[in-house]
Coordinates of all heavy atoms in Angstrom, one line a residue:
Chain A
L28 N -13.4 12.8 6.3 CA -12.2 13.2 7.0 C -12.1 14.7 7.1 O -11.8 15.3 8.1 CB -11.0 12.6 6.3 CG -10.7 11.1 6.4 CD1 -9.5 10.7 5.6 CD2 -10.5 10.7 7.9
D29 N -12.5 15.3 6.0 CA -12.4 16.8 5.9 C -13.3 17.4 7.0 O -12.8 18.3 7.8 CB -13.0 17.2 4.5 CG -12.7 18.7 4.2 OD1 -11.9 19.3 5.0 OD2 -13.3 19.2 3.3
K30 N -14.5 16.9 7.1 CA -15.4 17.4 8.2 C -14.9 17.1 9.6 O -14.9 18.0 10.4 CB -16.8 16.7 8.0 CG -17.9 17.3 8.8 CD -19.2 17.1 8.1 CE -20.4 17.7 8.9 NZ -20.8 16.9 10.0
A31 N -14.3 15.9 9.7 CA -13.8 15.5 11.1 C -12.6 16.3 11.5 O -12.5 16.7 12.6 CB -13.5 14.0 11.1
L32 N -11.8 16.6 10.5 CA -10.6 17.4 10.8 C -11.0 18.8 11.2 O -10.4 19.4 12.1 CB -9.7 17.4 9.5 CG -8.9 16.1 9.2 CD1 -8.3 16.2 7.8 CD2 -7.8 15.9 10.2
E33 N -12.0 19.3 10.4 CA -12.4 20.7 10.7 C -13.0 20.7 12.2 O -12.7 21.7 12.9 CB -13.5 21.1 9.7 CG -13.7 22.6 9.7 CD -14.8 23.1 8.8 OE1 -15.1 22.4 7.8 OE2 -15.5 24.1 9.2
E34 N -13.8 19.7 12.5 CA -14.4 19.7 13.8 C -13.3 19.6 14.9 O -13.5 20.1 16.0 CB -15.4 18.6 13.9 CG -16.7 18.9 13.3 CD -17.6 17.7 13.2 OE1 -17.3 16.6 13.8 OE2 -18.7 17.8 12.5
A35 N -12.2 18.9 14.6 CA -11.1 18.7 15.5 C -10.2 19.9 15.6 O -9.3 19.9 16.4 CB -10.4 17.4 15.2
G36 N -10.4 20.8 14.7 CA -9.5 22.0 14.6 C -8.1 21.6 14.1 O -7.1 22.3 14.4
L37 N -8.1 20.6 13.2 CA -6.8 20.2 12.7 C -6.7 20.5 11.2 O -7.6 20.3 10.4 CB -6.7 18.6 12.8 CG -6.3 18.0 14.1 CD1 -6.5 16.5 14.1 CD2 -4.8 18.4 14.4
V38 N -5.5 21.2 10.9 CA -5.3 21.5 9.5 C -4.0 20.8 9.1 O -2.9 21.0 9.6 CB -5.1 23.0 9.3 CG1 -4.9 23.3 7.8 CG2 -6.3 23.8 9.8
P39 N -4.1 19.8 8.1 CA -2.9 19.1 7.7 C -1.8 20.0 7.2 O -2.1 21.0 6.6 CB -3.5 18.2 6.6 CG -4.9 18.0 6.9 CD -5.3 19.3 7.5
I40 N -0.6 19.6 7.4 CA 0.6 20.3 6.9 C 1.5 19.3 6.2 O 1.4 18.1 6.4 CB 1.3 21.0 8.1 CG1 1.8 20.0 9.1 CG2 0.5 22.1 8.7 CD1 2.7 20.6 10.2
D41 N 2.5 19.9 5.5 CA 3.5 19.1 4.8 C 4.0 18.0 5.7 O 4.5 18.3 6.8 CB 4.6 19.9 4.3 CG 4.4 20.6 3.0 OD1 3.4 20.2 2.3 OD2 5.1 21.5 2.6
G42 N 4.1 16.8 5.2 CA 4.7 15.7 5.9 C 3.8 14.9 6.8 O 4.1 13.9 7.4
D43 N 2.5 15.4 7.0 CA 1.6 14.6 7.8 C 1.2 13.3 7.1 O 1.1 13.2 5.9 CB 0.3 15.4 8.0 CG 0.4 16.5 9.0 OD1 1.4 16.6 9.7 OD2 -0.6 17.2 9.2
I44 N 1.1 12.2 7.9 CA 0.7 10.9 7.4 C -0.7 10.5 7.9 O -0.9 10.6 9.2 CB 1.7 9.8 7.9 CG1 3.2 10.2 7.6 CG2 1.4 8.5 7.3 CD1 3.6 10.0 6.2
F45 N -1.6 10.2 7.1 CA -2.9 9.7 7.5 C -2.8 8.1 7.5 O -2.6 7.5 6.4 CB -3.9 10.1 6.5 CG -4.3 11.6 6.6 CD1 -3.5 12.5 6.0 CD2 -5.5 11.9 7.3 CE1 -3.9 13.9 6.1 CE2 -5.8 13.3 7.4 CZ -5.0 14.2 6.8
V46 N -3.2 7.5 8.6 CA -3.3 6.1 8.6 C -4.8 5.8 8.7 O -5.5 6.3 9.6 CB -2.6 5.5 9.9 CG1 -2.8 4.0 9.9 CG2 -1.2 5.9 9.9
L47 N -5.3 5.0 7.7 CA -6.7 4.7 7.6 C -6.9 3.2 7.8 O -6.2 2.4 7.2 CB -7.2 5.1 6.2 CG -7.2 6.6 5.9 CD1 -7.4 6.8 4.4 CD2 -8.3 7.3 6.7
A48 N -8.0 2.9 8.6 CA -8.3 1.5 8.8 C -8.9 0.8 7.5 O -9.7 1.4 6.9 CB -9.3 1.4 9.9
E49 N -8.4 -0.4 7.2 CA -8.9 -1.0 6.0 C -10.4 -1.2 6.0 O -11.0 -1.2 4.9 CB -8.1 -2.3 5.7 CG -8.0 -3.3 6.9 CD -9.3 -4.0 7.3 OE1 -10.1 -4.3 6.4 OE2 -9.4 -4.3 8.5
S50 N -10.9 -1.5 7.1 CA -12.4 -1.8 7.2 C -13.2 -0.5 6.8 O -14.2 -0.6 6.1 CB -12.8 -2.3 8.5 OG -12.5 -1.4 9.5
A51 N -12.7 0.6 7.2 CA -13.4 1.9 6.8 C -13.3 2.1 5.3 O -14.2 2.4 4.6 CB -12.8 3.1 7.6
V52 N -12.0 1.9 4.8 CA -11.8 2.2 3.3 C -12.6 1.1 2.5 O -13.3 1.4 1.6 CB -10.3 2.1 3.0 CG1 -10.1 2.3 1.5 CG2 -9.6 3.2 3.8
G53 N -12.5 -0.2 3.0 CA -13.3 -1.2 2.3 C -14.8 -1.0 2.3 O -15.4 -1.2 1.3
T54 N -15.3 -0.5 3.4 CA -16.7 -0.2 3.5 C -17.1 0.9 2.5 O -18.1 0.8 1.8 CB -17.1 0.2 4.9 OG1 -16.8 -0.9 5.8 CG2 -18.6 0.5 5.0
A55 N -16.3 2.0 2.6 CA -16.6 3.1 1.7 C -16.6 2.7 0.2 O -17.3 3.1 -0.6 CB -15.6 4.2 1.9
E56 N -15.7 1.7 -0.1 CA -15.5 1.2 -1.5 C -16.5 0.1 -1.8 O -16.4 -0.6 -2.8 CB -14.1 0.7 -1.7 CG -13.1 1.8 -1.7 CD -11.6 1.3 -1.9 OE1 -11.5 0.1 -2.0 OE2 -10.7 2.1 -1.9
R57 N -17.5 0.0 -1.0 CA -18.6 -1.0 -1.2 C -18.1 -2.5 -1.2 O -18.6 -3.3 -2.0 CB -19.4 -0.7 -2.4 CG -20.0 0.6 -2.5 CD -20.8 0.8 -3.8 NE -21.3 2.2 -4.0 CZ -22.3 2.7 -3.4 NH1 -23.1 2.0 -2.6 NH2 -22.6 4.0 -3.6
R58 N -17.1 -2.8 -0.4 CA -16.5 -4.1 -0.4 C -17.2 -5.0 0.7 O -16.6 -5.7 1.4 CB -15.0 -4.1 -0.2 CG -14.3 -3.4 -1.3 CD -14.0 -4.3 -2.4 NE -12.9 -5.3 -2.0 CZ -12.7 -6.4 -2.6 NH1 -13.4 -6.8 -3.7 NH2 -11.7 -7.2 -2.2
I59 N -18.5 -4.7 0.8 CA -19.3 -5.4 1.8 C -20.1 -6.6 1.1 O -20.6 -6.4 0.0 CB -20.4 -4.4 2.4 CG1 -19.7 -3.3 3.1 CG2 -21.3 -5.2 3.4 CD1 -19.5 -3.4 4.6
V60 N -20.0 -7.7 1.7 CA -20.7 -8.9 1.1 C -21.7 -9.4 2.2 O -21.3 -9.7 3.3 CB -19.7 -10.0 0.7 CG1 -20.5 -11.2 0.1 CG2 -18.7 -9.5 -0.3
R61 N -23.0 -9.6 1.7 CA -23.9 -10.2 2.6 C -23.7 -11.7 2.6 O -23.7 -12.4 1.5 CB -25.3 -9.9 2.1 CG -26.4 -9.9 3.2 CD -27.6 -9.1 2.7 NE -28.1 -9.6 1.5 CZ -29.0 -10.7 1.4 NH1 -29.5 -11.2 2.5 NH2 -29.4 -11.1 0.2
L62 N -23.4 -12.3 3.7 CA -23.1 -13.8 3.8 C -24.2 -14.6 3.2 O -23.9 -15.6 2.5 CB -22.8 -14.2 5.2 CG -21.4 -13.9 5.7 CD1 -21.2 -14.5 7.1 CD2 -20.3 -14.5 4.8
A63 N -25.5 -14.2 3.4 CA -26.6 -15.0 2.9 C -26.6 -15.1 1.3 O -27.2 -16.0 0.7 CB -27.9 -14.4 3.3
S64 N -25.8 -14.2 0.7 CA -25.8 -14.2 -0.8 C -24.7 -15.1 -1.3 O -24.5 -15.3 -2.5 CB -25.5 -12.8 -1.3 OG -24.2 -12.4 -1.0
V65 N -23.9 -15.8 -0.4 CA -22.8 -16.6 -0.8 C -23.1 -18.1 -0.8 O -23.6 -18.6 0.2 CB -21.5 -16.3 0.1 CG1 -20.4 -17.2 -0.4 CG2 -21.1 -14.9 0.1
T66 N -22.8 -18.8 -1.9 CA -23.0 -20.2 -1.9 C -21.7 -20.9 -1.8 O -20.9 -20.8 -2.8 CB -23.8 -20.7 -3.2 OG1 -24.9 -19.9 -3.3 CG2 -24.1 -22.2 -3.1
P67 N -21.4 -21.6 -0.7 CA -20.1 -22.2 -0.6 C -19.9 -23.4 -1.5 O -20.9 -24.2 -1.6 CB -20.0 -22.6 0.9 CG -21.5 -22.8 1.3 CD -22.3 -21.8 0.5
G68 N -18.7 -23.6 -2.1 CA -18.4 -24.8 -2.9 C -18.0 -25.9 -1.9 O -17.9 -25.7 -0.7
E69 N -17.7 -27.0 -2.5 CA -17.3 -28.2 -1.7 C -16.0 -27.9 -0.9 O -15.9 -28.3 0.3 CB -17.0 -29.4 -2.6 CG -18.3 -30.2 -2.9 CD -19.1 -30.5 -1.7 OE1 -18.6 -31.1 -0.7 OE2 -20.3 -30.1 -1.6
K70 N -15.1 -27.3 -1.6 CA -13.8 -27.0 -0.9 C -14.0 -26.1 0.3 O -13.4 -26.3 1.4 CB -12.9 -26.3 -1.9 CG -11.5 -26.2 -1.5 CD -10.6 -25.6 -2.6 CE -9.2 -25.6 -2.2 NZ -8.8 -27.0 -2.0
A71 N -14.8 -25.1 0.1 CA -15.1 -24.2 1.2 C -15.8 -24.9 2.4 O -15.5 -24.6 3.6 CB -16.0 -23.0 0.7
K72 N -16.6 -25.8 2.1 CA -17.3 -26.6 3.1 C -16.3 -27.4 3.9 O -16.3 -27.4 5.2 CB -18.3 -27.5 2.5 CG -19.6 -26.8 2.0 CD -20.6 -27.7 1.4 CE -21.7 -27.0 0.8 NZ -22.5 -27.9 -0.1
V73 N -15.3 -28.1 3.2 CA -14.3 -28.9 3.9 C -13.4 -28.0 4.7 O -13.2 -28.3 5.9 CB -13.5 -29.7 2.8 CG1 -12.3 -30.4 3.5 CG2 -14.3 -30.7 2.1
L74 N -12.9 -26.9 4.1 CA -12.0 -26.1 4.9 C -12.7 -25.3 6.0 O -12.1 -25.1 7.1 CB -11.3 -25.1 3.9 CG -10.2 -25.7 3.0 CD1 -9.7 -24.7 2.0 CD2 -9.1 -26.3 3.8
G75 N -13.9 -24.9 5.8 CA -14.7 -24.3 6.8 C -14.9 -25.2 8.0 O -14.7 -24.7 9.2
E76 N -15.2 -26.4 7.7 CA -15.3 -27.4 8.8 C -13.9 -27.5 9.5 O -13.8 -27.5 10.8 CB -15.7 -28.7 8.2 CG -15.7 -29.9 9.2 CD -17.0 -30.0 10.0 OE1 -17.9 -29.2 9.7 OE2 -17.0 -30.7 11.0
Q77 N -12.9 -27.7 8.7 CA -11.5 -27.9 9.3 C -11.1 -26.7 10.2 O -10.5 -27.0 11.3 CB -10.5 -28.0 8.1 CG -9.1 -28.4 8.5 CD -8.2 -28.7 7.3 OE1 -8.7 -29.0 6.2 NE2 -6.9 -28.6 7.5
Y78 N -11.4 -25.5 9.8 CA -10.9 -24.4 10.6 C -12.0 -23.7 11.5 O -11.7 -22.7 12.1 CB -10.3 -23.3 9.7 CG -9.1 -23.9 9.0 CD1 -9.0 -23.9 7.6 CD2 -8.0 -24.4 9.7 CE1 -7.9 -24.4 6.9 CE2 -6.9 -24.9 9.0 CZ -6.9 -24.9 7.7 OH -5.8 -25.4 7.0
G79 N -13.2 -24.3 11.5 CA -14.2 -23.7 12.3 C -14.7 -22.3 11.8 O -14.9 -21.4 12.5
I80 N -14.7 -22.2 10.4 CA -15.1 -20.9 9.8 C -16.4 -21.2 9.0 O -16.6 -22.2 8.3 CB -14.0 -20.4 8.9 CG1 -12.7 -20.1 9.7 CG2 -14.4 -19.2 8.1 CD1 -11.5 -19.9 8.9
D81 N -17.3 -20.2 9.1 CA -18.6 -20.3 8.3 C -18.2 -20.6 6.9 O -17.4 -19.9 6.3 CB -19.3 -18.9 8.4 CG -20.6 -18.9 7.7 OD1 -20.7 -19.3 6.6 OD2 -21.6 -18.4 8.4
P82 N -18.8 -21.7 6.3 CA -18.4 -22.1 4.9 C -18.6 -21.0 3.9 O -17.9 -20.9 2.9 CB -19.3 -23.3 4.6 CG -20.4 -23.3 5.7 CD -19.8 -22.6 6.9
R83 N -19.6 -20.1 4.2 CA -19.8 -19.0 3.2 C -18.6 -18.0 3.3 O -18.1 -17.5 2.3 CB -21.1 -18.3 3.5 CG -22.3 -19.2 3.4 CD -23.6 -18.6 4.0 NE -23.3 -18.3 5.4 CZ -24.3 -17.7 6.2 NH1 -25.4 -17.4 5.7 NH2 -24.0 -17.5 7.5
E84 N -18.2 -17.7 4.5 CA -17.0 -16.9 4.7 C -15.8 -17.6 4.1 O -14.9 -16.9 3.4 CB -16.8 -16.5 6.1 CG -15.7 -15.5 6.3 CD -15.5 -15.0 7.8 OE1 -16.5 -15.1 8.6 OE2 -14.4 -14.6 8.1
M85 N -15.7 -18.9 4.3 CA -14.5 -19.6 3.7 C -14.5 -19.5 2.2 O -13.5 -19.5 1.6 CB -14.6 -21.1 4.2 CG -13.3 -21.9 4.0 SD -12.0 -21.3 5.1 CE -10.6 -21.4 3.9
E86 N -15.7 -19.6 1.6 CA -15.8 -19.4 0.1 C -15.2 -18.1 -0.3 O -14.5 -18.0 -1.3 CB -17.3 -19.5 -0.3 CG -17.5 -19.3 -1.8 CD -16.9 -20.4 -2.6 OE1 -16.8 -21.6 -2.2 OE2 -16.4 -20.0 -3.7
L87 N -15.5 -17.0 0.5 CA -15.0 -15.7 0.2 C -13.5 -15.7 0.4 O -12.7 -15.1 -0.4 CB -15.6 -14.6 1.0 CG -17.1 -14.4 0.8 CD1 -17.7 -13.4 1.8 CD2 -17.4 -13.8 -0.6
V88 N -13.0 -16.4 1.4 CA -11.6 -16.4 1.7 C -10.9 -17.0 0.4 O -9.9 -16.5 -0.1 CB -11.2 -17.3 2.9 CG1 -9.7 -17.6 3.0 CG2 -11.8 -16.6 4.2
L89 N -11.5 -18.2 -0.1 CA -10.8 -18.8 -1.2 C -10.9 -17.9 -2.5 O -9.9 -17.9 -3.3 CB -11.6 -20.1 -1.5 CG -11.3 -21.3 -0.5 CD1 -12.3 -22.4 -0.7 CD2 -9.8 -21.8 -0.7
Q90 N -11.9 -17.2 -2.6 CA -12.0 -16.2 -3.8 C -11.0 -15.1 -3.7 O -10.5 -14.6 -4.7 CB -13.4 -15.7 -3.9 CG -14.5 -16.7 -4.4 CD -15.9 -16.1 -4.3 OE1 -16.1 -14.9 -4.2 NE2 -16.9 -17.0 -4.3
E91 N -10.8 -14.6 -2.4 CA -10.0 -13.4 -2.2 C -8.5 -13.7 -2.2 O -7.7 -12.9 -2.5 CB -10.4 -12.8 -0.9 CG -11.7 -12.0 -1.0 CD -11.5 -10.7 -1.7 OE1 -10.7 -9.9 -1.4 OE2 -12.2 -10.5 -2.8
C92 N -8.1 -14.9 -1.7 CA -6.7 -15.1 -1.3 C -5.9 -15.6 -2.5 O -6.4 -16.1 -3.5 CB -6.5 -16.1 -0.2 SG -6.7 -17.8 -0.6
D93 N -4.6 -15.4 -2.5 CA -3.6 -15.9 -3.5 C -3.2 -17.3 -3.1 O -2.9 -18.1 -4.0 CB -2.4 -15.0 -3.5 CG -2.7 -13.5 -3.6 OD1 -3.7 -13.2 -4.3 OD2 -2.0 -12.7 -3.0
E94 N -3.1 -17.6 -1.9 CA -2.5 -18.8 -1.4 C -3.0 -19.1 0.0 O -3.3 -18.1 0.8 CB -1.0 -18.7 -1.4 CG -0.3 -20.1 -1.4 CD 1.2 -19.9 -1.5 OE1 1.7 -18.8 -1.9 OE2 1.9 -20.8 -1.2

Side-chain angles (χ1 to χ4, degrees):
Chain A
L28 288 176
D29 190 16
K30 191 152 180 281
L32 287 165
E33 196 186 330
E34 282 171 8
L37 279 169
V38 181
I40 59 174
D41 274 346
D43 280 357
I44 309 281
F45 285 80
V46 181
L47 295 165
E49 47 74 32
S50 57
V52 177
T54 301
E56 292 180 358
R57 302 183 190 277
R58 297 274 290 162
I59 300 262
V60 178
R61 208 160 56 86
L62 279 183
S64 72
V65 179
T66 308
E69 272 315 303
K70 192 176 185 61
K72 288 178 188 166
V73 171
L74 289 175
E76 173 80 14
Q77 187 174 338
Y78 298 122
I80 294 168
D81 184 312
R83 299 165 303 176
E84 188 174 335
M85 195 68 224
E86 177 63 37
L87 293 173
V88 170
L89 287 167
Q90 287 172 20
E91 284 286 303
C92 80
D93 310 322
E94 199 173 343

